[in-house]
Amino acid sequence: MANTGIGVNQGAPTSFVANNELNYLTSSDLINVYAKASPDVRQQLVEPFGDENLGIMDLLEDLGQVEEAVFGNEYNHFEQGRLKELVKADGNGTDNSTTVTFTATNTRAIPFNSQSWYDNTSSSTKVNVQEGDTLWIPRSGGDAYECQVTGVSGTTVTIVPAKLYGANLAADTAAIAAAITNSTEMFIGGNAFAEGSGQPSSREVRTYKYTNYVQTFKSTYEINGASLGQQAFITMPNGSKYWYVQGIMNTRRFHRNQIEAAFLAGNQISTTSSTLDNTFKTEGLIPAMQANGNTEGYTAGSLSLTDIDSMIAKLKKFRGASENLLVGANEFITGVDDIIRTSEGMKAGGIQYAGIGGEDRGVRFGFDHFIRSGVTFHYKSLQAFDDPDSFGATNSSFAKLGLVIPTGNTTSYNYGRQVTSVPTMRMVYLSVDGESNGYKEWVTGSAGAVSTNQTDAQQINMRDRKGFEVFGLGRFGIFDSNIA
C-alpha cells in the first residue's frame, strides 16, 4: 500500500506527467522565477575605474607632505617680504634746478616710537627709502641715473645726481625729473654718508599674512535593517557578499574624493549670504597659485618653448626652486613632450632602440623630465584634469592648466647653493579629542548590532575637519590658456 502519511507522495504522479513538447526548463513556474535559463554570472564584482581618486593625495604624498594638527578653524602663517623693495612714484618727478623731488607711493605703516608693542591703533607712514640711500633710476640710454637721497619727509623724497650725464647739473635734474613716472621702477643700490655724520633711521622689512580655514566634510551611507541580511550573488572586492559593505566603501572613496577636490581647487567663501553663516571653506592649490603665483598664458594645443622660458624667468625672479614638478592633463603633458620631440637637434631623440634580451626594438616618443636654463621639470599627468566626471569635464578650463610645483623646501639660488629652507605646502586637520587626524566615523540606528534610536536602519556617518596651506607662492607657477 502506498504511504499516505506526511512525506513524499509515492503514488504515480499521473496528473503531472510532462507532454512531449515541454521539458523542465520551460515549465511555467520556472519561467516566472528564473526568466528562462539561469545565466552564468561571474562571482567577483569588477571595478573598471578603480577607486576613482583624483591623484591629489598621491601627489602630496609623493612630495613628502604629511598632515599636521592645527588648533583653530582659522590658521595663519607669516611670510617675510624682500629685504629690498622697488621705489615707485605716484607721478612725474619735479625739477628743482639742483634737486629732484617725487612722491613715493610704496609706503608702509611704522609704529610711533612711543607706542607699546601691543598697540596697533596709531602709526606713522614711512616710505621704503631713506636719506643716504643710493637710488638708481632707469634712463633711456639703457643704464640708470645714480642719485643720492638727501631727504625724506613723509612720502616726499628728495634726490640729487651722484654722477653727471649731461653738460651740467641742471641738465641732469631735468632729465631725471622727466624719467620718473608712476611706472618707473627705481631701486636702492647701497648708501653713502658724509664722514662724521650720524646713523640713519631704522629700516623694517614687510611681513605678509596668509590666512586659511579648516573645512568640514561630511558623508553618510544608510541601509535599512532587512537589507543588512540580504546577500548578493556576486562577491565584493573585499570578499563580502553583502552589498552594503561595498556601499560603505564607495562612500568612503567619495568622501576622500571631495577632500581632494577642495585641496586642488576649492575657494574661500567671500559672499555675504547668510545661508553660509558658520561655514568655512579652505583655499586650494589652484586658487592660491592664480592669486599669488607666477602665471604664464599660452595657447591651448600650442605650448611652446617660449612659454617655458617665460615661466623660468619668473621663477628665477622670485627665487623659485631648481627642481620642480610639472603636472597637468594628458593634453598639456603631450604638448610638453612635443616641444622636446620636435625641437631642432632633438628630433632624432624621439626614437630609442632597445635591444635588451633580444632583437626587440622600441620607439620612445615621450620623456619624463627636461632641464632648461638650469631648472629641472619632472612632468606627469594629473588624473584629476583627465577625469570626465570632474575637472576633466567637457569645456572645463581646468583641463588646460599646467601646474609648476617646487619639489624641495629650498630656494633655487643663493649664489648657486640651495641653503634657504622654505616649506612647500601642507595638509592640516583640526585637533579634536576622539577624532583621528580630524576624521570620525560612527554608526547610528537600531538595525543589526546598533541600538541608538528606534529606526530600523543603519547610518554610517563620516566627518573630516581638514584644510590646506601653501607657502612661498612666488616659487609656484601656473600655465593658463585662459589668459593667452
Side-chain angles (χ1 to χ4, degrees), residues 113-409:
N113 291 334
S114 60
Q115 192 174 28
S116 79
W117 172 259
Y118 300 100
D119 295 335
N120 288 313
T121 56
S122 181
S123 63
S124 162
T125 298
K126 184 81 172 178
V127 298
N128 57 335
V129 62
Q130 298 178 328
E131 182 178 345
D133 283 347
T134 299
L135 190 64
W136 292 83
I137 303 169
R139 73 188 193 109
S140 58
D143 53 8
Y145 294 105
E146 187 176 356
C147 303
Q148 203 67 21
V149 178
T150 58
V152 177
S153 177
T155 59
T156 301
V157 180
T158 303
I159 57 177
V160 296
K163 172 181 170 58
L164 291 178
Y165 288 88
N168 52 54
L169 180 63
D172 274 353
T173 55
I176 291 170
I180 297 176
T181 69
N182 57 7
S183 62
T184 303
E185 294 185 345
M186 300 172 278
F187 63 93
I188 301 168
N191 59 37
F193 294 90
E195 189 172 337
S197 61
Q199 286 295 111
S201 58
S202 174
R203 193 191 299 271
E204 196 61 78
V205 178
R206 294 177 193 259
T207 56
Y208 300 91
K209 183 180 179 182
Y210 175 97
T211 300
N212 212 347
Y213 300 93
V214 170
Q215 185 169 332
T216 301
F217 302 86
K218 296 182 180 182
S219 300
T220 302
Y221 185 76
E222 183 171 352
I223 185 169
N224 64 53
S227 296
L228 287 170
Q230 308 301 315
Q231 284 196 356
F233 55 84
I234 56 175
T235 303
M236 309 307 152
N238 63 358
S240 172
K241 278 188 170 293
Y242 292 99
W243 186 263
Y244 79 91
V245 177
Q246 181 72 10
I248 296 172
M249 181 185 300
N250 288 338
T251 304
R252 285 178 182 151
R253 289 172 174 172
F254 181 81
H255 184 77
R256 174 186 169 95
N257 189 286
Q258 298 298 87
I259 298 174
E260 283 192 295
F263 282 5
L264 178 64
N267 288 278
Q268 295 178 1
I269 292 175
S270 59
T271 179
T272 56
S273 171
S274 60
T275 306
L276 297 176
D277 282 353
N278 302 318
T279 301
F280 292 102
K281 289 181 83 274
T282 199
E283 182 180 58
L285 178 61
I286 292 175
M289 292 172 67
Q290 288 174 328
N292 297 293
N294 299 295
T295 303
E296 178 64 30
Y298 79 100
T299 301
S302 300
L303 184 69
S304 68
L305 190 59
T306 301
D307 299 322
I308 300 292
D309 287 342
S310 180
M311 175 60 74
I312 291 174
K314 292 173 182 177
L315 292 175
K316 291 202 171 186
K317 182 177 181 180
F318 294 102
R319 306 274 178 136
S322 58
E323 292 274 343
N324 298 276
L325 185 63
L326 177 59
V327 298
N330 180 66
E331 177 185 336
F332 180 85
I333 296 303
T334 300
V336 177
D337 268 344
D338 287 343
I339 291 175
I340 302 172
R341 186 175 57 83
T342 60
S343 296
E344 292 299 326
M346 288 291 293
K347 292 180 180 179
I351 302 176
Q352 175 179 312
Y353 294 105
I356 301 175
E359 299 300 321
D360 292 340
R361 294 292 183 265
V363 178
R364 179 171 180 173
F365 292 109
F367 304 83
D368 52 18
H369 74 278
F370 65 91
I371 302 172
R372 177 75 170 173
S373 302
V375 180
T376 302
F377 293 90
H378 304 272
Y379 61 98
K380 61 187 294 186
S381 297
L382 183 64
Q383 181 60 43
F385 291 152
D386 289 311
D387 183 5
D389 294 321
S390 59
F391 297 100
T394 302
N395 297 325
S396 168
S397 59
F398 290 100
K400 307 295 184 182
L401 298 179
L403 309 182
V404 179
I405 303 170
T407 59
N409 291 348

